[in-house]
Amino acid sequence: MELVAFMLVFLLQTRKMQGSVTKSKFVKQGADVDLDVKKPVVFTPDRDLFFWRVNRSLDIFRSDKNQKRTKIYPNYHGRVVVLENFSLVLKNVQEPDAGLYTAVLSGAENKLAEYQLHIQAAVSPVKLEVVSLFADSDSCNLTVTCRTDQTHLNATFECRHANCTPDGGGLSNADWSLMAFVFNFSIVCQHSNQVSETQEAMAVRQVCQQHVPKEISIFTWTWIRISLVLGLALALIFALRRRERQATRKPEGCQVLESYNMGDITKDRVRPCTLKLRPAELPKMLEADPMQVTGQNNNPLLAL
Ligand SMILES: *[C@@H]1O[C@H](CO)[C@@H](O)[C@H](O)[C@H]1NC(C)=O
Ligand SMILES: *[C@@H]1O[C@H](CO)[C@@H](O)[C@H](O)[C@H]1NC(C)=O
Ligand SMILES: *[C@@H]1O[C@H](CO)[C@@H](O)[C@H](O)[C@H]1NC(C)=O
Ligand SMILES: *[C@@H]1O[C@H](CO)[C@@H](O)[C@H](O)[C@H]1NC(C)=O
Ligand SMILES: *[C@@H]1O[C@H](CO)[C@@H](O)[C@H](O)[C@H]1NC(C)=O
């Protein structure tokens, strides 16, 4: 909406400028500007002097038919060049050079050309920053900040497969405009005035798939670190426990399997031990649990 309003104002202004005799000219500070005389200068007896003036009063240049009275006024020595057809070139323009420049023939004030000169410095660079992002497999909602040295603008976009709505927004005044919009599947921040433009763009697909905003990334990194530490701690605990269990494990096949009654005696049935021990382990086992190993000899089943 703001963008549309801005465009309308801009169009109206442009039309107004074209309609009038006075032509608006915007010049970048430090550049040279050509002020074309527009019409051939034709001297007649009652229009015998030609002038370039600024602000309707200050003379810059004067000439006559035979160029006998031609002169560049002291303020403009070395700062202007006048072409053969009397067009004016103003060199290295600065802020105070802004004003109304008129080419006139003397006599019945015959105006040949008139320019309203505006001097603008080049705009500063603009930075595009993604400040929030919510993405799933087919949609991506993001807010960006477009920042210049003087101001900033937030714009939110809802994107589906790189097609985004709305069309951003804008801020503007007489000297600059700052806009956020989508162009060519990219989000663009543009800072411009009449004489210059800076912009930064990011491809929607790339932003939505790869870009991780700063706050999220700090948050994520914290979680990754905590998870790593927890994971390591758990792994260590498991390893220690396993070693402990291995050290106290009874040899397989020697557990009591069931109890059964035989008359009035309750007996345990035990699976015979068939230990496969490596020679080095044997003394340790015998020491640790001699009954288990010698159990084979006292097997109650054998006693039956
Ligand atoms: C005057 O000369 C300049 C440079 O040659 C040219 O660009 C301009 O169109 C001329 N203007 C007229 C009114 O002839
Ligand atoms: C013309 O007048 C404006 C103010 O109306 C002033 O800012 C500007 O400096 C003047 N230009 C020149 C060349 O004196
Ligand atoms: C983006 O916003 C739209 C409308 O507010 C919503 O339907 C959609 O689920 C959002 N997508 C994500 C990834 O948050
Ligand atoms: C832009 O968003 C930031 C937070 O991300 C907020 O601090 C700031 O006030 C917003 N600016 C405007 C102009 O809405
Ligand atoms: C659009 O973007 C693609 C790749 O980023 C680029 O090659 C192409 O020139 C761009 N088109 C326009 C009109 O800027």
Side-chain angles (χ1 to χ4, degrees):
M1 203 53 214
E2 272 171 89
L3 185 69
V4 172
F6 174 78
M7 290 298 206
L8 269 176
V9 168
F10 185 76
L11 278 176
L12 284 174
Q13 267 183 354
T14 318
R15 180 153 303 180
K16 214 163 66 187
M17 282 168 203
Q18 281 169 347
S20 77
V21 192
T22 306
K23 195 170 185 269
S24 240
K25 244 188 192 310
F26 289 86
V27 187
K28 195 194 263 184
Q29 194 176 347
D32 298 346
V33 59
D34 297 347
L35 300 178
D36 189 10
V37 75
K38 276 188 184 165
K39 292 177 201 158
V41 177
V42 182
F43 292 100
T44 59
D46 62 334
R47 295 173 182 171
D48 59 343
L49 273 179
F50 171 85
F51 292 93
W52 269 108
R53 289 197 178 116
V54 62
N55 286 346
R56 298 205 192 278
S57 55
L58 185 64
D59 289 337
I60 300 170
F61 169 81
R62 172 191 84 187
S63 189
D64 61 344
K65 189 169 183 176
N66 307 312
Q67 310 216 345
K68 278 187 184 145
R69 291 191 280 165
T70 296
K71 84 182 252 191
I72 289 173
Y73 287 82
N75 277 351
Y76 287 89
H77 276 162
R79 298 193 48 220
V80 296
V81 172
V82 180
L83 305 180
E84 228 169 298
N85 64 12
F86 296 114
S87 286
L88 182 78
V89 179
L90 194 54
K91 301 261 194 197
N92 184 27
V93 293
Q94 299 299 326
E95 204 106 8
D97 290 326
L100 189 67
Y101 288 75
T102 317
V104 289
L105 272 167
S106 64
E109 276 300 298
N110 189 4
K111 190 155 64 182
L112 300 174
E114 192 163 63
Y115 299 93
Q116 184 69 55
L117 206 63
H118 305 272
I119 316 296
Q120 288 186 327
V123 289
S124 62
V126 61
K127 291 294 296 170
L128 187 163
E129 195 189 341
V130 178
V131 291
S132 82
L133 180 96
F134 301 96
D136 58 23
S137 55
D138 65 355
S139 79
C140 173
N141 298 344
L142 72 161
T143 301
V144 301
T145 297
C146 299
R147 193 179 300 283
T148 69
D149 56 353
Q150 290 160 338
T151 187
H152 76 274
L153 164 76
N154 296 335
T156 299
F157 298 92
E158 267 178 53
C159 305
R160 278 191 169 269
H161 308 294
N163 290 315
C164 304
T165 55
D167 235 16
L171 280 177
S172 70
N173 65 18
D175 294 325
W176 49 258
S177 83
L178 177 61
M179 284 192 275
F181 55 91
V182 174
F183 175 72
N184 193 20
F185 304 110
S186 288
I187 291 184
V188 183
C189 285
Q190 188 178 73
H191 187 205
S192 61
N193 62 11
Q194 302 280 350
V195 301
S196 66
E197 175 186 301
T198 61
Q199 65 173 45
E200 186 173 1
M202 282 184 185
V204 173
R205 240 174 248 284
Q206 222 168 338
V207 174
C208 290
Q209 283 169 7
Q210 293 169 10
H211 191 91
V212 181
K214 252 181 233 155
E215 311 105 89
I216 292 180
S217 101
I218 289 163
F219 184 74
T220 310
W221 273 113
T222 310
W223 273 110
I224 288 173
R225 272 186 224 135
I226 289 173
S227 309
L228 269 176
V229 170
L230 274 178
L232 278 174
L234 280 176
L236 203 70
I237 289 168
F238 272 118
L240 282 172
R241 275 199 162 179
R242 223 179 118 143
R243 269 184 67 175
E244 223 172 288
R245 241 184 291 143
Q246 267 174 347
T248 58
R249 188 164 65 192
K250 293 189 170 99
E252 242 179 271
C254 293
Q255 295 98 327
V256 174
L257 292 180
E258 58 189 274
S259 296
Y260 61 94
N261 274 331
M262 217 172 80
D264 52 348
I265 318 154
T266 304
K267 294 223 176 236
D268 286 344
R269 196 201 321 210
V270 173
R271 201 199 297 170
C273 281
T274 47
L275 283 173
K276 285 191 206 126
L277 291 174
R278 274 170 279 154
E281 281 174 311
L282 206 53
K284 212 159 120 205
M285 273 296 182
L286 288 170
E287 206 180 294
D289 201 350
M291 281 314 286
Q292 291 288 341
V293 181
T294 52
Q296 201 162 3
N297 303 333
N298 313 346
N299 195 325
L301 286 175
L302 292 177
L304 291 173

